[in-house]
Amino acid sequence: MSSVPVPPPKCLLKPLVVPFRHMFGPGPSNVPPRILQAGANPVIGHMHPEIFEIMNDIKSGIQYLFQTQNRVTLAVSGTGHTAMECAIFNAVEPGEGVLSAVNGIWGERAADMAERIGARVNTIVAPPGGVLTNEEIERALAKHRPALFFLAHGESSTGVLHSLDGIGQLCHKYNCLFLVDSVASMGGTPLHMDRQGIDILYTGSQKVLNAPPGTAPISFSDRACQKIFNRRTKPVSFFLDLKWLSNYWGCDGKPSRVYHHTGPVTAFYSLRESLAVLAEEGLEKSWERHKEVAEYFHTSLESMGLHLFVKEKVLRVGLMGCNSSKAHVDMVLAAMKDALKHCHENKL
């Protein structure tokens, strides 16, 4: 009689088969062969000097991507949700106020995360597909006096790009940290962390950067670090404690790095390569390419009689990074035209 009563699953005795698909949704995006190949390099130790050098390259790449000189700049081991929690869990203590701009699901989730750690949460809500004015934001800041204000730059659930100009200055006027989610926008449209007064900024690896999901670039201003590193209480998460993370990433100026967690080394390879691809193209060229392709897509949609935000029927289309080309727009348009022909609600 076998000593292992549970037999090996038959499904695992078959070869792994993964189909190729055009990834034109809100993310993840297709990963170019060069970045896939980088992730296939040999695994080395997460505390080896070679991996620290790769992590240093990643930090420099994120500083370029974010247009910041912040010393505490790193990549969280996890997706954009992990970076969102890293920002909120470190910057906010129980009982402190958080103001979240809700113009889609990401403002709702930021509010949810803040409530879970005992923050006093208020929201300022934009209409569906709409944005908030700086005057509305200032009134809410003056009324609620939060320690942190959250705003999604690219709200992927509605397709809205929210202006950031002047908001950082308003937050600082009311002694508030400005937290920005740029998961859906980073690399595809202009954003200047230092110039726009953003205190905490994060993004994900799987959209414009075209790396596999699983790493999340994040950066903290000196103002944010001053508050975070002088907390009265420890952050609720050990895994996301910025004191530990900043040491592991060599951001704290200490002579040695201490083990905190086993970093996803192959994901670091991929992220490093994706940042290298962006650096070679140049941020300004990437911004311009995404703008040109988006305008081409929008014009083509309108010529089909479609609107960019429809309450009854919404399709989320993502053309990011290597997928941002007119050829891929034409592919999406052809598929949409075919689908609309067979849609019983179609009025075209």
Side-chain angles (χ1 to χ4, degrees), residues 103-304:
N103 61 332
I105 65 170
W106 303 115
E108 294 172 353
R109 292 196 179 184
D112 188 341
M113 290 177 186
E115 286 175 347
R116 288 168 184 251
I117 62 169
R120 294 180 294 101
V121 179
N122 289 283
T123 59
I124 175 172
V125 182
V131 296
L132 298 164
T133 66
N134 284 17
E135 290 74 19
E136 290 173 317
I137 292 171
E138 180 167 18
R139 284 197 296 270
L141 290 171
K143 177 181 179 181
H144 300 296
R145 299 284 175 164
L148 182 79
F149 174 57
F150 171 90
L151 177 67
H153 183 220
E155 177 48 75
S156 59
S157 67
T158 59
V160 170
L161 184 70
H162 202 294
S163 173
L164 301 176
D165 292 338
I167 300 176
Q169 289 72 22
L170 288 177
C171 288
H172 300 164
K173 176 181 176 181
Y174 292 93
N175 194 31
C176 170
L177 295 178
F178 185 27
L179 167 60
V180 173
D181 176 314
S182 68
V183 173
S185 59
M186 180 58 67
T189 191
L191 194 157
H192 299 267
M193 183 174 188
D194 291 355
R195 189 187 304 171
Q196 292 176 303
I198 301 169
D199 292 298
I200 310 175
L201 177 65
Y202 66 86
T203 190
S205 59
Q206 75 275 18
K207 300 208 174 192
V208 172
L209 287 177
N210 290 154
T215 54
I218 191 168
S219 183
F220 298 81
S221 71
D222 288 342
R223 288 181 77 253
C225 290
Q226 179 69 20
K227 183 178 190 304
I228 291 168
F229 295 144
N230 290 283
R231 292 174 56 106
R232 301 183 305 277
T233 60
K234 290 183 179 181
V236 295
S237 170
F238 174 85
F239 182 67
L240 297 175
D241 189 324
L242 190 59
K243 284 188 178 180
W244 284 92
L245 291 177
S246 62
N247 175 263
Y248 178 47
W249 279 86
C251 302
D252 61 359
K254 294 184 178 179
S256 61
R257 306 190 194 190
V258 179
Y259 168 72
H260 173 242
H261 73 284
T262 303
V265 294
T266 56
F268 290 165
Y269 303 159
S270 299
L271 178 60
R272 191 262 183 210
E273 199 66 15
S274 70
L275 291 165
V277 170
L278 180 70
E280 290 172 10
E281 180 182 15
L283 263 178
E284 292 174 312
K285 287 186 178 179
S286 178
W287 294 339
E288 185 57 37
R289 175 168 56 87
H290 282 81
K291 179 182 179 183
E292 181 181 347
V293 170
E295 289 174 349
Y296 176 67
F297 184 43
H298 296 166
T299 301
S300 300
L301 287 175
E302 289 167 356
S303 70
M304 293 169 56

Side-chain angles (χ1 to χ4, degrees), residues 7-17:
K10 292 182 180 179
C11 60
L12 294 182
L13 304 179
K14 301 176 184 178
L16 173 67
V17 177

